[in-house]
Structures are given as structure tokens and as C-alpha cells.
Amino acid sequence: MHSKLLLMKKYFAPGPILYLTAAVLFCIPLSKAVAQDKTETAKMNAFVSGLMKKMTVDEKIGQLNLVTGGMAITGSVTNNGISDGVKKGAIGGIFGLYGTEKVRQMQEAAVKGSRLHIPLIFGLDVIHGHRTIFPIPLGMSATWDLGIIEHAAHIAAKEATAEGLNWVFSPMVDIARDARWGRISEGSGEDPYLGGKVAAAMVRGYQGTSLKNADAVMACVKHFALYGAAEAGREYNTVDMSRVAMYNYYLPPYKAALDAGAGSFMSSFNVVDGVPATTNKWLLTDLLRTQWGFKGFVVSDYTSLNETVDHGMGNLQTVSALALKAGLDMDMVGEGFLKTLKTSLQQGKVTQADIDLACRRVLEAKYKLGLFDNPYKSLDQQREKTEIMTDANRKSARVTAEHSFVLLKNANQILPLKKSGGSIALVGPLADNKRDMLGTWVIGGEWEKSVSVIEGIKHVVGDNVKINYAKGSNITDDTTFMKRLNFGPGMVSLDKQSPEDMIEDAVKAAKKSDIIVAVVGESQSMSGESSSRSDINIPESQKNMLKALAKLGKPIVIVLFNGRPLTLTWENDNAAAILDVWAPGTEAGNAIAEVLFGNYNPSGKLTTTFPRSVGQIPLYYNHLNTGRPYSSGPTKFKSNYLDISNDPLYPFGYGLSYTNFSYSNLKLSKTKLKGNETLTATVTVTNNGSYAGEEVVQLYIGDPAASISRPVKELKDFKKVNLQVGEKQDVTFNITPKQLKFYNSQLKYDWEPGDFVIQVGTNSADTKTARVQWVK
Ligand code: BGC
């Protein structure tokens, strides 16, 4: 088992908080730091103003134009002749292009070939690692380990900068409560508090201590805003919600990323309060800049500006003017700004000041990145050769993956498996598969370099355990579905063998073996962008194989790949164990084998609720009580279904361990509090199983009487503890009124006196409870 202390040392790259702490500890006057900041800003302003004086209107509009270099395309491409555009000063940045040689070519075109030598900014969708792929973000969030997450982002930044990049379209911080939505895989799940913590950790990991560092990239927080709340989980669909829901549940992670210093934001595809985010002045200016104080720049999503025409906002010229005035600074791919802003200026539809403001923000970003000092700063061929996919990076990816796995079921302690003796039937279309190990959004990922499950098992147990392998089924036999999946990298194909023969092979392998390990679930292309599903079962082809195997009566261990919660009631009833591995990345097979054979004891916890049926969606733990709350079992005239319970299959925060943790003795320092006092809640956690292990201890608070209806409970804090066999630890949470605050109907952020329910436990549905009264 890994020692927590070592891990923290290894994974905690110094972030701004560390420096702030250092300033406090070593008495470095903060006023000096603030003064330094002001001087820096004044220098930047003078530089940018000086440069803008020399710029023509066309050159200014050019800075607002972001084009794709062609390596990452999620919509239609309307840009041709990039190099000419760069030389003319008609392009401010390029995304989807990496590698020092290619980037240098373009940067030279800008710096040597354009009139004012303004460098380009180079962006990419680096979502969970650049070359060394880490687990998908939903998996990464299941570590509940901010040090690990920050470190993963830092490695991604190192690899990205080693290939010429200085801007990443990450973190994606959209709260999602709907497993049908394929992009739930790219975020941190359903909780605003955890989502905010993860968002901030990622920003720190990407941006480091200074954007000028050679290994720092500017983060781009997306998708602003509410993209994860698409109706019916259907991609690009309408979003409609109250401001109270927005402020309390959906906006916190964006704000947390901003507070961590994120340099840029991306506007989302959806409407917010009826107005597309990309042309939404309330969103991009009143909220983001005026209320929250954002100082960076906002880029549109891929052609999201043009798409506002289809949203019904007017023609391209109208929407481009609207977007500029709303606070959009850079237009991704669609060229609405490029094609129309000059005419709009001449016609008085936008002002010179509107254009200048956006241009200034883009130039400021380049300045902050140090590109005016050294436009070639991320173009070091030596780094490109030595810093990509290093052993250390791969090791971090493996450790992160191990921590991200969630043990959903483990009947009779079937896991961990014995490292020696006996035989295993290793079956399923994901067992001898490299491509689907990586998950969605892996533009720089090379699937050939990933470790398959069968390879990982061989690395860990060699010949000590007999492995009987059979593919057993296709990922799916549904050719219509397959056609839709086969856009982009994750190709799905039919095997030469018939489905029946494949199942027969799996059954034969199982008959020869003591135990069945079935590696099943979703392929790479089943989640991510444009991958909504209305049926979130394991595809039928694989289920048929599982059903045939279940008839043998041998224990089945399911290793589950998924970019979203799946409906697993049959699997939960029929498998002995289920290990959810999401899409673990480059080191998938090694990480899976380490966990299956007990070299690492799983500690991941769900950050998204697993429903029993798709009909329960949206299903999330922090729901309101309603006036007719469900208690147990469907009854008439309660808020429930006739045909199914309201309970999820696996609740938020859930995850087992090979050991057993018990919770006892929840003690509060007081039960009556006043004003700004601090309450401490202490619980004793005991490892009374037979393995050392890590446990995420979770604090929830409920506010049962307030001026608005409040969620039944909300996550407010968590601590990960590492306990040896037989060890006990008192885990203490400090609670202050800050944690009781919420946005009321007037959107005032405050707490209201009354009773509060304090809950501490192993997941959102299994807690120890105590009540306090807290007055102002
Ligand atoms: C996605 C964004 C992504 C962009 C650029 C869009 O389709 O929604 O998340 O950053 O493409 O690749």
C-alpha cells in the first residue's frame, strides 16, 4: 500500500496557496506582494496600450480570431490558408496544433511575417493529460485527492508546453446530474463543493506559480455556463433553471476556478435564461466580470457564436455584434468577428472601444504568458524529446488511475484475487484492447502506447496464475449504433466470429477456470462530446455474454469501463464483484492489475449517483425534500414512482474497500452555537478489516428550515485518511457559519439561524447524524 505521507510529498506541487502560507509563515509583507502586482499590471497596461496604438482596426479584429490547426475538429472547419492569415494579422491564436516544429512554423509566421510581430497563442483540448493520458476527469474526481489531481494537471501542462502549447481548454467544471449526457465523463460529477475543489486544483496544476514559467499553461474554464444541465441529457440541448439553482448548485465550480486564478473562460453552447451563453451580456459581463471580478478573456466554444443564429438571435453580423458587446473576446473557428465587426463598426453597431476592450484582453493573456518576451518559450526541442511520456509521468498516471477506481461490490471478499495459483477466465471486448483504455478527448494520446488489461495482468502475476482469454463479445452488435460511434478516434468494429461463437469461447474459457474476470462496458467513443445515450445499460452484446457466463455459477468479477454512471441492477445482482475503472488512461492495464491483485486497495468514491433505471434521472443526492417526501417503498400520493424505489443503486460518495471501515461516536463540541463560533464534529473511524487502506470521510450538512427549500444534505468537507489494520483515528471537521451559507431568493449569500443536521459518514446515504442549533 502507498503511504499517504509520501503521496502528499510526491504529488503536492507548490501552488498559490502554498506561497500565501509561506508569506504568512515567514512574514513576507503581503503589501509588498500587492504593490509588486500593481507595478506588473501597470507595466502590462503600458505595453499593451503602446502596441494597440500601432494597430489597425483589422489587426485588432484579427486578434479576436481563433482558428483550428486541424488536429482537433468537433464541428465544421471554415478556415483555410492559416499561414497567410497569420502574416496578415488576421489570426490571434491557433488550437488543435502541437509539436515544436509545427508550432514554430506558425509562430515564426506571426513574429517574423506579420507587420507588428504579435505572437500567437496556441491552445488544445488537453483534458486528462496530453501525451501520457490520465483517467477521464470523472474518474479523476473519484480519487477525492486534490494533490493527485493537481499533480496530474501539472504533468499535462509539462507535456503540453514541451510540445509548443500555452493554453489548455480545461478544466471542464460543468455540474451534471444526468447520466445520459456523454460529457458527464469530462467533469467532476454532481456536487458543487467537490467540483469547486477539483476545478481549483486543476487550475493550480496547469498554471503553476506563474504563467511565465516554461511549464505553465493558461487554463480555460468551460463551459460557461450550465452546459451540464442540458434537458434530457441531450447534447447541445436547452438549459432552463432558476437563478437560485444556478447560484447554489451550478455556478460554484466556475467561481472556484476563477478564484484559483484561471486566465480564460469558454462560453457554452446552450442558452442561459433564454439567451445563448455566447451572446449573453448578463453572463459574460454582469456576472463574470462585474460580480466575480474576472480579469482574463473569454473565448467562444467551437462555432458557438455562429450557432446563435440558429438559436434565433439574428444574422451573423447581428450576433457577432451582440457577442462582442456581451463580453466575448475571441471567436473560435466561426469567423463571425473577422467577417463582420469592421462593417458593424462603420455602421455604428459596435464601437471602437468594444473592439479595443476585447483586443486588449487577448493581448494581455499573451503578455501574462510571457509570449512578448519570448514567443518561442514553449518551443524547446530538447524538452519535447525528454519530457513526454517519461517513466515518472506514466507512473503518476498509474497511481492516479489506481486511486480513481471505485469498488461497487465485493461479495464474500472475492477481491483481491490470489497472485499465485488457480486460473482466471479473462473475457470481454475490453480485456485485450488498448484504444478504449484512454477514454474521451485524447488528442495527444497514442493508444498504441497504452497498457491493455491482459498485459497489465501478465506484468503483475506473470505465469503464476493461469489466464484463459476469450474476447466473448463485440463492444456492440448494433451496426446503426456503431456507425454513430465511429466518428473520431474510438473505432468500434464487428469481429469476424459470430456473436454466438464468441460467447461460446468465453463459456469454454470460463469452464476451465476458477473465476471469471469480465472486462466490459463502454468504448472510448460512447461518452464525451456528442455522445448522449438514452439507454445507459452495458450494451446488449456484452450483456448476453455475461448472462451466458452467469449460468455457470462461477464467481464473476466485472471490471467496468464507463464514461458515465450505467444502470447495473442485473450486474449488481449477478456478479460477485464490480470494480469501476472508468477509462483509466495510458497505464490502464497496470493499474487495474495492481488493484485486482491487491497491491493497491481501492479507495475511490463516486462523485455521481448511479441510478437503478434511466427513468429515475435526474437523480442526485442533494435534492430538495419536496412536500411529500418518499420514505421507503413506493406508495400512492408520495413523491415516488409506482414501479421503482427512489433510491439509487449506488449513492454519491459510495465506494468500498478491501478492508472494512466502521464509524462510531460522532461528537460535537457544542449543540447550541451563536454567531461566528466554530463547531467541531469528530467521528472515530476504525479499520476493522484485514487490509490497510484509505477512506474518504465525508461531512454533510442539512438545513431543514430556511427561507428557501434547501437540499436534504450538502457535502461541506471531506478528509482522506490512511489506516493500518486495526487502527483507529478520530477525524475532526471544523464547521463555521461560512459553510451554512446559501443564495436566497434575492440571491443574497448568507446563512439563516436555526437547526442544522450534521452528518459524517462513508457516503451520502450512510452517515452518523447529530443536530445543532445555531443562532446569529
Ligand atoms: C467542445 C469544447 C472544446 C472545443 C475545441 C467543442 O466542440 O465543446 O469543449 O474545447 O470543441 O475543441
Side-chain angles (χ1 to χ4, degrees), residues 66 68 72-75 95-96 124-127 168-170 172 174 183 186 220 222-223 227 235-236 266-269 300-303 307 332-333 441 443 529:
L66 177 67
T68 171
I73 297 168
T74 54
F95 76 102
L124 190 75
D125 289 283
V126 173
I127 309 296
V168 293
F169 299 152
S170 176
M172 182 192 115
D174 305 323
R183 298 198 86 168
E186 295 175 47
C220 184
K222 68 189 191 186
H223 306 83
Y227 182 39
E235 185 66 307
Y236 315 128
M266 185 185 291
S267 68
S268 58
F269 287 123
S300 76
D301 201 345
Y302 202 109
T303 61
E307 291 167 28
M332 189 193 292
V333 175
W441 278 123
I443 294 164
E529 185 170 354

Short mmCIF file of all heavy atoms in Angstrom, two decimals, residues 66 68 72-75 95-96 124-127 168-170 172 174 183 186 220 222-223 227 235-236 266-269 300-303 307 332-333 441 443 529, ligand 1:
data_model
loop_
_atom_site.label_atom_id
_atom_site.label_comp_id
_atom_site.label_asym_id
_atom_site.label_seq_id
_atom_site.Cartn_x
_atom_site.Cartn_y
_atom_site.Cartn_z
N LEU A 66 -9.78 32.97 -33.53
CA LEU A 66 -9.08 31.72 -33.17
C LEU A 66 -9.40 30.67 -34.23
O LEU A 66 -10.58 30.39 -34.49
CB LEU A 66 -9.55 31.24 -31.79
CG LEU A 66 -8.98 29.90 -31.31
CD1 LEU A 66 -7.47 30.02 -31.04
CD2 LEU A 66 -9.68 29.45 -30.03
N THR A 68 -8.58 26.74 -36.14
CA THR A 68 -8.10 25.39 -35.79
C THR A 68 -6.98 24.98 -36.73
O THR A 68 -7.03 25.22 -37.94
CB THR A 68 -9.24 24.35 -35.80
OG1 THR A 68 -8.66 23.04 -35.66
CG2 THR A 68 -10.06 24.37 -37.07
N ALA A 72 -7.81 18.77 -34.22
CA ALA A 72 -8.95 18.51 -33.32
C ALA A 72 -10.17 19.20 -33.88
O ALA A 72 -10.28 20.40 -33.83
CB ALA A 72 -8.65 19.07 -31.94
N ILE A 73 -11.04 18.44 -34.46
CA ILE A 73 -12.20 19.06 -35.11
C ILE A 73 -13.47 18.48 -34.54
O ILE A 73 -13.69 17.29 -34.55
CB ILE A 73 -12.13 18.84 -36.63
CG1 ILE A 73 -10.89 19.53 -37.18
CG2 ILE A 73 -13.38 19.37 -37.32
CD1 ILE A 73 -10.55 19.17 -38.59
N THR A 74 -14.33 19.32 -34.01
CA THR A 74 -15.60 18.83 -33.48
C THR A 74 -16.79 19.47 -34.19
O THR A 74 -17.91 19.32 -33.78
CB THR A 74 -15.71 19.09 -31.96
OG1 THR A 74 -15.49 20.48 -31.74
CG2 THR A 74 -14.73 18.27 -31.18
N GLY A 75 -16.52 20.22 -35.22
CA GLY A 75 -17.60 20.83 -35.98
C GLY A 75 -17.09 21.07 -37.39
O GLY A 75 -16.13 20.44 -37.82
N PHE A 95 -5.61 26.64 -32.38
CA PHE A 95 -5.72 25.50 -31.48
C PHE A 95 -5.76 24.23 -32.32
O PHE A 95 -6.03 24.26 -33.53
CB PHE A 95 -6.95 25.61 -30.57
CG PHE A 95 -8.26 25.31 -31.25
CD1 PHE A 95 -8.89 24.08 -31.08
CD2 PHE A 95 -8.85 26.25 -32.09
CE1 PHE A 95 -10.10 23.81 -31.71
CE2 PHE A 95 -10.04 25.98 -32.73
CZ PHE A 95 -10.68 24.75 -32.54
N GLY A 96 -5.48 23.13 -31.65
CA GLY A 96 -5.50 21.86 -32.37
C GLY A 96 -4.25 21.66 -33.19
O GLY A 96 -4.27 20.93 -34.19
N LEU A 124 -5.12 23.82 -26.97
CA LEU A 124 -5.50 22.44 -27.30
C LEU A 124 -6.42 21.90 -26.21
O LEU A 124 -6.36 22.32 -25.06
CB LEU A 124 -4.26 21.54 -27.41
CG LEU A 124 -4.52 20.14 -27.98
CD1 LEU A 124 -4.74 20.19 -29.49
CD2 LEU A 124 -3.36 19.18 -27.69
N ASP A 125 -7.23 20.93 -26.60
CA ASP A 125 -8.04 20.23 -25.61
C ASP A 125 -7.17 19.20 -24.89
O ASP A 125 -7.12 18.04 -25.27
CB ASP A 125 -9.22 19.54 -26.30
CG ASP A 125 -10.23 20.54 -26.77
OD1 ASP A 125 -10.99 21.04 -25.93
OD2 ASP A 125 -10.25 20.84 -27.97
N VAL A 126 -6.48 19.68 -23.89
CA VAL A 126 -5.71 18.78 -23.03
C VAL A 126 -6.62 18.57 -21.82
O VAL A 126 -6.73 19.41 -20.95
CB VAL A 126 -4.38 19.45 -22.62
CG1 VAL A 126 -3.64 18.62 -21.59
CG2 VAL A 126 -3.52 19.68 -23.85
N ILE A 127 -7.31 17.45 -21.80
CA ILE A 127 -8.41 17.32 -20.84
C ILE A 127 -8.05 16.42 -19.66
O ILE A 127 -8.40 16.71 -18.53
CB ILE A 127 -9.69 16.77 -21.55
CG1 ILE A 127 -10.00 17.60 -22.81
CG2 ILE A 127 -10.88 16.73 -20.60
CD1 ILE A 127 -10.36 19.03 -22.57
N VAL A 168 -4.71 25.54 -22.43
CA VAL A 168 -5.47 24.29 -22.50
C VAL A 168 -6.95 24.55 -22.24
O VAL A 168 -7.30 25.37 -21.39
CB VAL A 168 -4.95 23.23 -21.48
CG1 VAL A 168 -3.56 22.76 -21.88
CG2 VAL A 168 -4.97 23.73 -20.04
N PHE A 169 -7.81 23.86 -22.96
CA PHE A 169 -9.26 24.04 -22.81
C PHE A 169 -9.75 23.14 -21.68
O PHE A 169 -10.49 22.18 -21.87
CB PHE A 169 -9.98 23.72 -24.12
CG PHE A 169 -9.57 24.61 -25.26
CD1 PHE A 169 -9.64 24.16 -26.58
CD2 PHE A 169 -9.13 25.90 -25.05
CE1 PHE A 169 -9.27 24.97 -27.65
CE2 PHE A 169 -8.75 26.72 -26.11
CZ PHE A 169 -8.82 26.25 -27.40
N SER A 170 -9.33 23.46 -20.51
CA SER A 170 -9.62 22.66 -19.33
C SER A 170 -9.35 23.55 -18.12
O SER A 170 -8.54 24.47 -18.23
CB SER A 170 -8.69 21.44 -19.33
OG SER A 170 -8.85 20.66 -18.18
N MET A 172 -12.94 21.38 -17.38
CA MET A 172 -14.36 21.42 -17.62
C MET A 172 -15.04 21.21 -16.27
O MET A 172 -14.84 20.18 -15.64
CB MET A 172 -14.81 20.32 -18.58
CG MET A 172 -16.30 20.48 -18.81
SD MET A 172 -17.11 19.14 -19.63
CE MET A 172 -18.17 18.60 -18.31
N ASP A 174 -18.44 21.73 -15.52
CA ASP A 174 -19.91 21.72 -15.58
C ASP A 174 -20.50 20.66 -14.66
O ASP A 174 -20.21 19.46 -14.81
CB ASP A 174 -20.36 21.42 -17.03
CG ASP A 174 -19.75 22.38 -18.02
OD1 ASP A 174 -19.59 23.57 -17.69
OD2 ASP A 174 -19.40 21.94 -19.15
N ARG A 183 -21.04 14.00 -21.81
CA ARG A 183 -19.93 14.81 -21.32
C ARG A 183 -19.83 14.81 -19.80
O ARG A 183 -18.96 15.48 -19.24
CB ARG A 183 -20.04 16.24 -21.86
CG ARG A 183 -19.96 16.27 -23.36
CD ARG A 183 -19.64 17.63 -23.91
NE ARG A 183 -18.21 17.85 -23.95
CZ ARG A 183 -17.64 18.86 -24.61
NH1 ARG A 183 -18.38 19.74 -25.25
NH2 ARG A 183 -16.33 19.02 -24.60
N GLU A 186 -16.42 14.21 -18.62
CA GLU A 186 -15.35 15.22 -18.65
C GLU A 186 -15.32 16.11 -17.44
O GLU A 186 -14.49 17.01 -17.33
CB GLU A 186 -15.52 16.11 -19.88
CG GLU A 186 -15.35 15.43 -21.19
CD GLU A 186 -15.66 16.38 -22.33
OE1 GLU A 186 -15.17 17.52 -22.31
OE2 GLU A 186 -16.41 15.99 -23.24
N CYS A 220 -8.41 27.24 -19.33
CA CYS A 220 -9.63 27.82 -19.91
C CYS A 220 -10.81 27.07 -19.28
O CYS A 220 -11.02 25.88 -19.54
CB CYS A 220 -9.63 27.67 -21.42
SG CYS A 220 -11.04 28.45 -22.19
N LYS A 222 -14.39 25.81 -18.65
CA LYS A 222 -15.52 25.64 -19.55
C LYS A 222 -16.56 24.72 -18.93
O LYS A 222 -16.26 24.04 -17.96
CB LYS A 222 -15.04 25.09 -20.89
CG LYS A 222 -14.50 23.65 -20.86
CD LYS A 222 -13.85 23.31 -22.18
CE LYS A 222 -13.54 21.83 -22.26
NZ LYS A 222 -12.80 21.45 -23.45
N HIS A 223 -17.77 24.74 -19.45
CA HIS A 223 -18.27 25.61 -20.48
C HIS A 223 -19.22 26.58 -19.80
O HIS A 223 -20.21 26.12 -19.21
CB HIS A 223 -19.00 24.84 -21.57
CG HIS A 223 -18.17 23.72 -22.15
ND1 HIS A 223 -18.04 22.48 -21.57
CD2 HIS A 223 -17.41 23.67 -23.27
CE1 HIS A 223 -17.26 21.70 -22.30
NE2 HIS A 223 -16.87 22.38 -23.34
N TYR A 227 -23.72 24.19 -18.96
CA TYR A 227 -23.78 23.27 -20.09
C TYR A 227 -24.21 21.86 -19.66
O TYR A 227 -24.87 21.14 -20.42
CB TYR A 227 -22.39 23.26 -20.74
CG TYR A 227 -22.18 22.43 -21.97
CD1 TYR A 227 -23.12 22.32 -22.97
CD2 TYR A 227 -20.94 21.79 -22.15
CE1 TYR A 227 -22.86 21.58 -24.11
CE2 TYR A 227 -20.67 21.06 -23.29
CZ TYR A 227 -21.64 20.95 -24.26
OH TYR A 227 -21.37 20.22 -25.39
N GLU A 235 -27.23 16.22 -25.85
CA GLU A 235 -26.14 17.14 -26.16
C GLU A 235 -26.62 18.40 -26.88
O GLU A 235 -27.49 18.33 -27.75
CB GLU A 235 -25.11 16.40 -27.02
CG GLU A 235 -23.86 17.18 -27.33
CD GLU A 235 -22.98 17.48 -26.13
OE1 GLU A 235 -23.47 18.02 -25.13
OE2 GLU A 235 -21.77 17.18 -26.20
N TYR A 236 -26.08 19.52 -26.49
CA TYR A 236 -26.34 20.85 -27.09
C TYR A 236 -27.78 21.31 -26.85
O TYR A 236 -28.25 22.22 -27.52
CB TYR A 236 -26.04 20.88 -28.59
CG TYR A 236 -24.73 20.23 -29.01
CD1 TYR A 236 -24.69 19.27 -30.03
CD2 TYR A 236 -23.52 20.61 -28.43
CE1 TYR A 236 -23.48 18.68 -30.42
CE2 TYR A 236 -22.32 20.03 -28.82
CZ TYR A 236 -22.30 19.07 -29.81
OH TYR A 236 -21.11 18.50 -30.21
N MET A 266 -14.43 29.76 -21.36
CA MET A 266 -15.05 29.45 -22.65
C MET A 266 -16.57 29.52 -22.49
O MET A 266 -17.12 28.94 -21.54
CB MET A 266 -14.66 28.04 -23.11
CG MET A 266 -15.16 27.68 -24.50
SD MET A 266 -14.79 25.93 -24.93
CE MET A 266 -13.02 25.97 -25.08
N SER A 267 -17.22 30.21 -23.40
CA SER A 267 -18.69 30.30 -23.31
C SER A 267 -19.29 29.00 -23.84
O SER A 267 -18.73 28.35 -24.72
CB SER A 267 -19.21 31.49 -24.11
OG SER A 267 -19.01 31.28 -25.49
N SER A 268 -20.45 28.64 -23.30
CA SER A 268 -21.03 27.35 -23.65
C SER A 268 -21.99 27.44 -24.84
O SER A 268 -22.35 28.53 -25.27
CB SER A 268 -21.74 26.76 -22.43
OG SER A 268 -22.74 27.65 -21.98
N PHE A 269 -22.41 26.29 -25.32
CA PHE A 269 -23.30 26.22 -26.49
C PHE A 269 -24.75 26.58 -26.15
O PHE A 269 -25.52 26.94 -27.03
CB PHE A 269 -23.31 24.79 -27.05
CG PHE A 269 -22.05 24.38 -27.78
CD1 PHE A 269 -21.32 23.27 -27.37
CD2 PHE A 269 -21.61 25.08 -28.90
CE1 PHE A 269 -20.18 22.86 -28.06
CE2 PHE A 269 -20.46 24.68 -29.59
CZ PHE A 269 -19.75 23.57 -29.17
N SER A 300 -15.19 31.84 -27.34
CA SER A 300 -16.44 31.11 -27.60
C SER A 300 -16.11 29.62 -27.67
O SER A 300 -14.95 29.23 -27.76
CB SER A 300 -17.03 31.54 -28.95
OG SER A 300 -16.30 30.96 -30.01
N ASP A 301 -17.13 28.78 -27.63
CA ASP A 301 -16.89 27.38 -27.96
C ASP A 301 -16.86 27.27 -29.49
O ASP A 301 -17.12 28.23 -30.21
CB ASP A 301 -17.95 26.45 -27.33
CG ASP A 301 -17.43 25.01 -27.22
OD1 ASP A 301 -16.42 24.68 -27.87
OD2 ASP A 301 -18.05 24.21 -26.49
N TYR A 302 -16.57 26.10 -29.95
CA TYR A 302 -16.38 25.82 -31.38
C TYR A 302 -17.61 26.27 -32.19
O TYR A 302 -18.67 25.64 -32.07
CB TYR A 302 -16.18 24.32 -31.55
CG TYR A 302 -15.49 23.86 -32.80
CD1 TYR A 302 -14.20 23.37 -32.75
CD2 TYR A 302 -16.14 23.90 -34.02
CE1 TYR A 302 -13.57 22.92 -33.90
CE2 TYR A 302 -15.51 23.45 -35.17
CZ TYR A 302 -14.24 22.96 -35.10
OH TYR A 302 -13.62 22.51 -36.24
N THR A 303 -17.48 27.33 -32.94
CA THR A 303 -18.58 27.94 -33.73
C THR A 303 -19.82 28.27 -32.89
O THR A 303 -20.90 28.44 -33.45
CB THR A 303 -19.00 27.07 -34.94
OG1 THR A 303 -19.48 25.79 -34.47
CG2 THR A 303 -17.90 26.86 -35.95
N GLU A 307 -23.57 29.65 -34.09
CA GLU A 307 -24.76 28.86 -33.74
C GLU A 307 -25.84 29.70 -33.07
O GLU A 307 -27.00 29.26 -32.98
CB GLU A 307 -24.34 27.67 -32.85
CG GLU A 307 -23.52 26.66 -33.64
CD GLU A 307 -22.80 25.64 -32.79
OE1 GLU A 307 -23.27 25.33 -31.69
OE2 GLU A 307 -21.75 25.14 -33.25
N MET A 332 -14.09 31.31 -31.70
CA MET A 332 -13.44 30.06 -32.10
C MET A 332 -14.01 29.53 -33.41
O MET A 332 -15.21 29.22 -33.49
CB MET A 332 -13.60 28.99 -31.00
CG MET A 332 -12.77 27.73 -31.23
SD MET A 332 -13.22 26.33 -30.18
CE MET A 332 -12.74 26.87 -28.57
N VAL A 333 -13.18 29.48 -34.42
CA VAL A 333 -13.45 28.85 -35.72
C VAL A 333 -14.45 29.55 -36.64
O VAL A 333 -14.25 29.61 -37.85
CB VAL A 333 -13.88 27.35 -35.54
CG1 VAL A 333 -14.27 26.71 -36.86
CG2 VAL A 333 -12.77 26.55 -34.90
N TRP A 441 -11.55 12.48 -25.47
CA TRP A 441 -10.66 13.65 -25.53
C TRP A 441 -9.20 13.31 -25.27
O TRP A 441 -8.66 13.68 -24.22
CB TRP A 441 -11.08 14.73 -24.53
CG TRP A 441 -12.18 15.63 -24.98
CD1 TRP A 441 -13.36 15.82 -24.33
CD2 TRP A 441 -12.23 16.48 -26.14
NE1 TRP A 441 -14.14 16.73 -25.01
CE2 TRP A 441 -13.46 17.15 -26.12
CE3 TRP A 441 -11.34 16.75 -27.19
CZ2 TRP A 441 -13.85 18.06 -27.11
CZ3 TRP A 441 -11.72 17.66 -28.17
CH2 TRP A 441 -12.96 18.29 -28.12
N ILE A 443 -6.48 13.94 -27.64
CA ILE A 443 -5.92 14.34 -28.94
C ILE A 443 -4.44 13.98 -29.04
O ILE A 443 -3.98 13.49 -30.05
CB ILE A 443 -6.19 15.83 -29.17
CG1 ILE A 443 -7.69 16.03 -29.31
CG2 ILE A 443 -5.46 16.35 -30.41
CD1 ILE A 443 -8.16 17.43 -29.18
N GLU A 529 -18.05 14.28 -25.92
CA GLU A 529 -18.92 15.20 -26.65
C GLU A 529 -19.79 14.46 -27.66
O GLU A 529 -19.35 13.50 -28.30
CB GLU A 529 -18.09 16.27 -27.38
CG GLU A 529 -19.00 17.30 -28.03
CD GLU A 529 -18.28 18.53 -28.57
OE1 GLU A 529 -17.07 18.65 -28.34
OE2 GLU A 529 -18.94 19.37 -29.20
C1 BGC B 1 -16.11 21.48 -27.28
C2 BGC B 1 -15.11 22.16 -26.37
C3 BGC B 1 -13.73 22.12 -26.99
C4 BGC B 1 -13.80 22.73 -28.37
C5 BGC B 1 -12.46 22.81 -29.07
C6 BGC B 1 -16.01 21.96 -28.70
O1 BGC B 1 -16.78 21.19 -29.56
O2 BGC B 1 -17.40 21.71 -26.77
O3 BGC B 1 -15.10 21.55 -25.12
O4 BGC B 1 -12.82 22.78 -26.17
O5 BGC B 1 -14.68 21.99 -29.17
O6 BGC B 1 -12.02 21.58 -29.47
#
